[in-house]
Amino acid sequence: MNWIVEVPNDFKFETTATGHGWYRLAPFHYDNDQKTLYKVEELESGKVVHITIAPYGEDAVTVSVNDGVLDDSEQAEILQKVRWMLRLDENLQPFYEKCLQIPEMAYVAHEKHGRLLRSSTIFEDIVKVMLTTNTTWNRTISMAAAIVNKMGKPLESHPELKAFPKPSTFVEKGEAYLKEEIRLGYRSGYLYELALKVASGELDLTKWKNLPTKQLIKELKAIKGIGPYAQSTLLMILGSYSELPVDSEFRKHVENKYFKGKKMTAKAASALYSEWGNYKYLAYWFDRHP
């Protein structure tokens, strides 16, 4: 099945798909030559599909799934998830207008950066953000691959391709399995507890999509294992850019670029981005990744 999905005027597929490293984390796969993004996805019905997303001119993307007949609810779910992953419903015009006022940031608006790829569910993104803490990027990639390869539901036509596991699978496997077989270390307990709350219905992550930033911060602080860095990263993923990831990497960047290596307080370092208001995270991101 194939769909053509219209995109905003300020959307560019390649910068969205590869704007940060999420496209390298299973079950995403990006073909740089074909400029095509792939994701194996387990739908609410339990059916596993292989989603292909590619640019269609400048005004649309094509979405295709070649995994049998899909009913109306499955088709709607796929299209909703694609819109979420690509942030097609976000308005970044205020951010772009600010970028155009600053010469070294103007390229962000001209090249249509800013829509950083996210996963199809908030649960998957919380897990992946936790995989980035206190480790190397290569280790993050390997942990994500292990979760998918050892716990994901396989695509019927190509069993070697698997979807990201649902919270219930994390619960069924258990904390010991996460620690010993997937080798998630100290994260195992945090992720097991999170999965248990989501699977039981105690925590409804879908409601987070409509919460204001202050309420989101409250919800994030209630999750064990979510520190300041993970909190600001997840706020970014949820489309709230007003908080900065004031960790060692943030301070290192600011001190080296703006203070000649001099140690600064978190307040002084953060003040550099105060003029960006609700878009401080994106301003920092592109200041650090020009």
Side-chain angles (χ1 to χ4, degrees):
M1 305 190 76
N2 300 278
W3 302 270
I4 295 176
V5 180
E6 293 185 358
V7 299
N9 292 332
D10 56 12
F11 174 89
K12 186 175 180 180
F13 180 75
E14 186 176 2
T15 58
T16 298
T18 63
H20 73 148
W22 248 223
Y23 72 101
R24 297 183 61 193
L25 299 181
F28 278 119
H29 172 70
Y30 184 74
D31 186 322
N32 190 59
D33 293 330
Q34 299 297 321
K35 303 294 186 260
T36 300
L37 182 69
Y38 302 93
K39 191 172 194 289
V40 183
E41 188 74 20
E42 181 179 358
L43 304 178
E44 291 299 318
S45 64
K47 185 177 181 62
V48 179
V49 296
H50 194 206
I51 303 172
T52 301
I53 312 170
Y56 187 78
E58 295 184 356
D59 302 321
V61 294
T62 59
V63 179
S64 60
V65 175
N66 299 315
D67 300 293
V69 178
L70 301 172
D71 64 29
D72 290 345
S73 63
E74 290 170 333
Q75 294 180 50
E77 181 182 349
I78 290 168
L79 292 175
Q80 181 274 326
K81 285 183 172 180
V82 169
R83 297 194 69 85
W84 175 258
M85 290 188 290
L86 300 182
R87 301 176 185 261
L88 296 183
D89 298 314
E90 282 195 19
N91 176 22
L92 292 182
Q93 278 304 307
F95 173 61
Y96 290 142
E97 290 170 7
K98 180 67 175 177
C99 287
L100 291 172
Q101 298 171 15
I102 303 173
E104 60 268 29
M105 290 289 283
Y107 81 95
V108 175
H110 292 314
E111 298 176 18
K112 303 177 181 179
H113 290 280
R115 285 184 167 83
L116 303 176
L117 180 70
R118 56 190 171 191
S119 300
S120 56
T121 69
I122 296 172
F123 175 74
E124 182 176 336
D125 273 332
I126 294 176
V127 173
K128 287 179 173 177
V129 169
M130 283 196 184
L131 298 185
T132 68
T133 59
N134 302 312
T135 191
T136 64
W137 178 238
N138 284 338
R139 179 69 184 128
T140 296
I141 292 173
S142 67
M143 285 189 286
I147 287 173
V148 171
N149 292 334
K150 294 186 177 184
M151 296 170 56
K153 189 173 181 179
L155 184 68
E156 186 174 347
S157 59
H158 295 278
E160 72 279 8
L161 299 177
K162 298 179 180 180
F164 195 87
K166 290 185 175 182
S168 57
T169 303
F170 279 75
V171 176
E172 291 165 8
K173 291 294 186 180
E175 182 179 345
Y177 184 89
L178 297 177
K179 186 172 185 178
E180 297 166 12
E181 295 296 324
I182 310 299
R183 299 175 62 83
L184 298 183
Y186 73 90
R187 304 167 187 80
S188 303
Y190 297 144
L191 293 178
Y192 176 77
E193 182 174 327
L194 171 68
L196 191 62
K197 289 182 177 180
V198 176
S200 68
E202 179 183 344
L203 179 61
D204 184 0
L205 295 176
T206 61
K207 293 181 178 179
W208 286 16
K209 294 182 179 182
N210 300 311
L211 293 180
T213 299
K214 286 185 178 180
Q215 185 61 35
L216 282 174
I217 292 173
K218 183 178 179 181
E219 295 285 344
L220 286 165
K221 284 183 175 179
I223 296 179
K224 293 181 181 178
I226 299 295
Y229 155 78
Q231 175 182 294
S232 61
T233 302
L234 285 164
L235 286 172
M236 174 276 289
I237 285 171
L238 289 162
S240 179
Y241 308 110
S242 60
E243 301 296 314
L244 290 165
V246 186
D247 58 1
S248 59
E249 288 299 316
F250 174 84
R251 293 195 189 197
K252 180 180 178 181
H253 164 74
V254 170
E255 289 166 357
N256 288 342
K257 184 170 183 177
Y258 297 104
F259 297 101
K260 298 181 180 180
K262 181 182 177 181
K263 296 295 182 183
M264 304 299 296
T265 64
K267 184 177 180 179
S270 299
L272 283 171
Y273 300 96
S274 60
E275 66 178 302
W276 289 89
N278 290 331
Y279 296 97
K280 289 192 284 288
Y281 189 103
L282 287 180
Y284 162 66
W285 180 269
F286 292 106
D287 187 37
R288 185 182 172 193
H289 303 93

